[in-house]
Amino acid sequence: MKMRLLAGWQARFHLVCLLMLLSALAAGVWPGAAHAQAQVTPLANETVAVEPLQAPAAAAPAAAEAAAPAFDHGDVAWMLTSTLLVLLMVVPGLALFYGGLVRSKNVLSVLSQILVVFSLVLLLWVAYGYSAVFSAGNPFFGSFTEFAFLKGFTPDSVGNTPIKGLPDYLFVAFQSTFAGITTALIVGALAERIKFRAVLLFSALWFTLSYIPMAHIVWGGGYLGEMGAIDFAGGTVVHINAGVAGLVGAWFLGKRLGYGQTALKPHNVPFTYIGAMLLWVGWFGFNAGSAAAADTVASLAFLNTVLATAAAVLGWTLVEAITKGKPSALGAASGAVAGLVGITPACGTVGPLGAIVIGFVAGVVCVWGVTGLKRLLKVDDTADVFGVHGVGGIVGAILTGVFSAQSLGGTKADLDIGHQVWVQVVSVGLTVVWSAVVTAAILLLVKVVVGLRVTEEAERTGLDVTSHGESAYEA
């Protein structure tokens, strides 16, 4: 009995010794594991010192350089938005504005012409337009082949355009909308009587021979740019250029049937009103987007676009109230467009007070442009393209030379107002002459090749049916 009890205690003792030995071996073989666990769960009163890991000094600059973006994402986001806003200006903005001004039998023809002309110019811009404007060449044209079909550009390429902080494709897209809307503006002067194929041929030739050289002359390092002409967003390149082309085109086409004998009233003023308001919204991309960055210049252009347009609405309304006794909704909408046109060349260089003055003057003068001047010229400009865009562009371009001076709230320090106004007048004169001569030559060519005007029967029936085989308003 005693021997069994002793043997039991011996067995237990040997078992305890064996477990202690195994524990000691485990602690010796896996010391790191025991230490790590102790670091993870320290005692409550224990202070644990942790040293941060140091990256190799030589690798840090390389990693920072690799992580640094090639462009500012905020600028890219704003320019993508601006491009979309300019697209909104054309379709549906400009299309509705012009569409409401014509008679119901021609509204679809105007909508179609604007959409198709705009689309055509976008493709021509990529094919050779961008290259001819923004490549090196002579004072009037760049190279038509250097960047043809965007040769040398890739989705990842940055800094190969005049704006170094944007992806190349984005700058190309933004500028394409300017080319497209400029050419589409002319449609309003030719509406209700021009052949569809004549519009397309004219647009392709005019884009090539009038828009491209004017854009290169002003923005692409050409003659007027070197002279110091200020055209922030397109007073000469866009509005005077298109306005003069519309005037010459209206002369060549002749007056619509019944013009001056019966009232050829707009068929849908609400369309025109909605189109004008869409133009105002889209114009922020046009003007503030021309800063090419989300910065203080864009903010100035944005504010000036608000103020000048508001002043022009009031100016046009005031003149109508005085001269006609009743201000019209159509007049207020037209005044908004006049103010937008007037501030376009100046929006990035004049102060808020200058913007108000330019807008008000543009609104007042453009009333005369679509009434007195139009009668004086004896021309049937259907949508008053010259009276608003041509006249408003001239007013804005010249006054840019005045109110850009820092002494009058502008951003140009030490600006010689007299000299700058002279430069602006030269830029206006060159644009008028170039656009008029080129437009006349193109129209003569188009008349020989496909003809210009639809038949009298087609005009009486309406271009919706005779040119497009459809009607906007079914009985």
Side-chain angles (χ1 to χ4, degrees), residues 10-397:
Q10 288 177 344
R12 293 187 181 92
F13 177 75
H14 291 161
L15 179 61
V16 170
C17 290
L18 180 61
L19 291 173
M20 293 176 66
L21 178 61
L22 292 173
S23 299
L25 289 173
V29 174
W30 298 291
H35 177 73
Q37 181 67 23
Q39 292 293 339
V40 172
T41 57
L43 295 176
N45 59 353
E46 180 182 359
T47 302
V48 180
V50 180
E51 293 185 4
L53 295 176
Q54 298 285 339
E65 183 179 352
F71 48 78
D72 184 279
H73 288 84
D75 292 344
V76 171
W78 168 238
M79 293 307 296
L80 288 169
T81 304
S82 296
T83 304
L84 183 62
L85 286 172
V86 182
L87 175 62
L88 179 71
M89 291 174 65
V90 190
V91 283
L94 183 66
L96 286 174
F97 185 80
Y98 283 169
L101 290 173
V102 301
R103 290 165 289 179
S104 59
K105 62 182 180 180
N106 296 312
V107 58
L108 291 182
S109 71
V110 171
L111 300 183
S112 298
Q113 288 172 18
I114 289 174
L115 176 59
V116 177
V117 165
F118 183 69
S119 301
L120 171 65
V121 172
L122 294 184
L123 297 183
L124 295 179
W125 176 255
V126 170
Y128 60 83
Y130 174 84
S131 181
V133 172
F134 290 108
S135 65
N138 58 54
F140 298 95
F141 286 95
S143 168
F144 280 79
T145 59
E146 182 174 351
F147 302 121
F149 289 99
L150 307 185
K151 181 173 58 179
F153 287 17
T154 69
D156 297 325
S157 62
V158 177
N160 297 315
T161 68
I163 305 300
K164 301 304 182 184
L166 294 178
D168 295 341
Y169 281 163
L170 177 53
F171 181 76
V172 172
F174 180 67
Q175 287 294 329
S176 73
T177 59
F178 277 62
I181 192 174
T182 304
T183 312
L185 283 173
I186 306 170
V187 168
L190 317 176
E192 299 198 291
R193 60 205 188 276
I194 191 169
K195 292 180 178 179
F196 185 66
R197 58 190 176 187
V199 169
L200 297 185
L201 179 56
F202 168 81
S203 298
L205 294 173
W206 189 87
F207 161 74
T208 304
L209 299 175
S210 191
Y211 180 82
I212 285 177
M214 285 309 308
H216 181 75
I217 288 168
V218 176
W219 295 331
Y223 175 70
L224 291 179
E226 292 181 350
M227 183 183 290
I230 302 173
D231 189 356
F232 189 79
T236 52
V237 177
V238 177
H239 297 292
I240 300 175
N241 201 9
V244 171
L247 179 65
V248 175
W251 264 329
F252 268 79
L253 278 173
K255 298 175 182 178
R256 290 168 289 172
L257 294 177
Y259 182 82
Q261 301 170 353
T262 59
L264 306 180
K265 294 182 179 180
H267 92 283
N268 196 323
V269 174
F271 270 17
T272 299
Y273 180 89
I274 293 170
M277 298 307 102
L278 287 172
L279 283 168
W280 192 352
V281 172
W283 223 289
F284 291 108
F286 200 78
N287 282 359
S290 292
D295 58 10
T296 56
V297 178
S299 302
L300 175 64
F302 199 102
L303 176 61
N304 286 340
T305 303
V306 172
L307 298 177
T309 310
V313 170
L314 295 179
W316 192 300
T317 300
L318 178 63
V319 171
E320 277 197 339
I322 294 173
T323 58
K324 297 181 179 180
K326 295 179 180 179
S328 66
L330 180 58
S334 300
V337 177
L340 290 165
V341 171
I343 197 59
T344 293
C347 58
T349 58
V350 304
L353 180 59
I356 293 171
V357 174
I358 291 173
F360 186 83
V361 173
V364 170
V365 174
C366 285
V367 178
W368 171 75
V370 304
T371 54
L373 179 61
K374 187 176 182 179
R375 288 192 296 268
L376 182 65
L377 296 174
K378 298 179 181 179
V379 64
D380 181 14
D381 180 349
T382 308
D384 292 315
V385 176
F386 180 74
V388 174
H389 295 274
V391 173
I394 291 171
V395 169

